[in-house]
Amino acid sequence: AAVRQDWRALELLAMQDVAISEELAQVVAEHGDWSLQAASPKLQANKVLVRAAVRRDWRAFESASASLKADRDVVLEAVKQNWRVLKQAPQELQADRGLVLLAVEQNGLAFASAPESVKEDREVALAAVRNNWEMLGWVPEDLRSDHEIVMAAAQQNGLALKWAPVPLRDKYELVHAAVAQNWQALQWASDRLRSNHTIVLSAVTQNGFALEW
């Protein structure tokens, strides 16, 4: 009750090593006048409280203790709020598949700064490309041969075809989807498909300059 009236009572509890419950932490975190930044180092190192604070505002992560900034549970709560927090985490957590997947599902740009070991994960790469087609340019070469990954990018912007390997540029379904989305994709189609009536018509319908290719 005292904490509900004055959050400063929490500092007294911390000094007395009284355990802070999830419910109490949530009450404090939602207090309009309270911030983790103004809290004592002891509270900044309290995992229950820090997680509650980060759930309310991801920026509270910046005021967490060094040990909690390296705690996966805390980082997870922060990344749920803002994918950029992952860049502030230790290297081993930046390479955590689950955290990277969560980040790229929010914003594909997170894939660009992910460690190579995680970029080689098909599910992560696909999620990144589905969120942002330009991430296909960051996908490892062997995964760029994956039809589903390239298609996910091409359906957003046909220009993604420029990152597709030669064999995929000769796949009718993929090239047709790319050109239908952006006529300029025709320039990266195989010689065979650049002569395909349906594909050329799709490009020319958008812009007559497509005939130059």
Side-chain angles (χ1 to χ4, degrees):
V3 175
R4 291 179 184 271
Q5 298 299 320
D6 188 348
W7 59 264
R8 296 172 185 81
L10 193 66
E11 296 287 0
L12 180 60
L13 293 179
M15 291 175 60
Q16 298 175 343
D17 292 324
V18 176
I20 299 175
S21 67
E22 292 278 357
E23 181 182 7
L24 179 57
Q26 196 63 40
V27 169
V28 173
E30 293 176 356
H31 196 294
D33 297 329
W34 183 83
S35 73
L36 191 63
Q37 184 178 10
S40 66
K42 194 157 189 174
L43 289 182
Q44 291 175 347
N46 184 285
K47 182 174 178 177
V48 175
L49 183 60
V50 170
R51 287 184 65 188
V54 168
R55 276 195 294 269
R56 180 174 181 267
D57 186 342
W58 66 268
R59 288 169 292 190
F61 182 80
E62 298 173 358
S63 301
S65 66
S67 62
L68 289 184
K69 285 181 179 178
D71 185 287
R72 189 184 188 281
D73 293 336
V74 174
V75 174
L76 176 63
E77 293 292 349
V79 173
K80 284 180 181 178
Q81 306 300 320
N82 191 316
W83 64 273
R84 290 183 176 87
V85 174
L86 190 55
K87 293 182 179 180
Q88 301 178 40
Q91 291 295 320
E92 60 267 23
L93 289 182
Q94 290 186 36
D96 183 292
R97 178 186 179 280
L99 293 177
V100 175
L101 183 58
L102 180 63
V104 301
E105 287 175 341
Q106 281 185 50
N107 194 316
L109 290 175
F111 187 77
S113 57
E116 292 302 316
S117 59
V118 184
K119 286 179 180 175
E120 293 171 356
D121 185 289
R122 184 184 183 278
E123 184 180 359
V124 174
L126 180 58
V129 170
R130 280 175 172 167
N131 185 279
N132 186 326
W133 69 275
E134 292 183 293
M135 289 303 99
L136 183 60
W138 293 87
V139 170
E141 190 172 344
D142 60 328
L143 286 180
R144 286 189 211 171
S145 298
D146 187 299
H147 186 277
E148 184 179 5
I149 291 177
V150 179
M151 178 65 86
Q155 288 177 330
Q156 294 174 60
N157 193 316
L159 296 181
L161 194 62
K162 65 184 177 182
W163 287 307
V166 172
L168 287 187
R169 296 183 189 187
D170 193 47
K171 298 294 184 181
Y172 176 84
E173 181 186 10
L174 175 61
V175 174
H176 186 261
V179 172
Q181 201 289 321
N182 190 322
W183 66 275
Q184 296 181 75
L186 183 62
Q187 64 185 299
W188 289 293
S190 66
D191 291 341
R192 180 180 72 88
L193 292 181
R194 280 206 300 271
S195 300
N196 180 277
H197 179 270
T198 303
I199 290 177
V200 173
L201 182 60
S202 178
V204 172
T205 300
Q206 297 174 56
N207 194 310
F209 284 111
L211 288 174
E212 296 182 1
W213 291 313

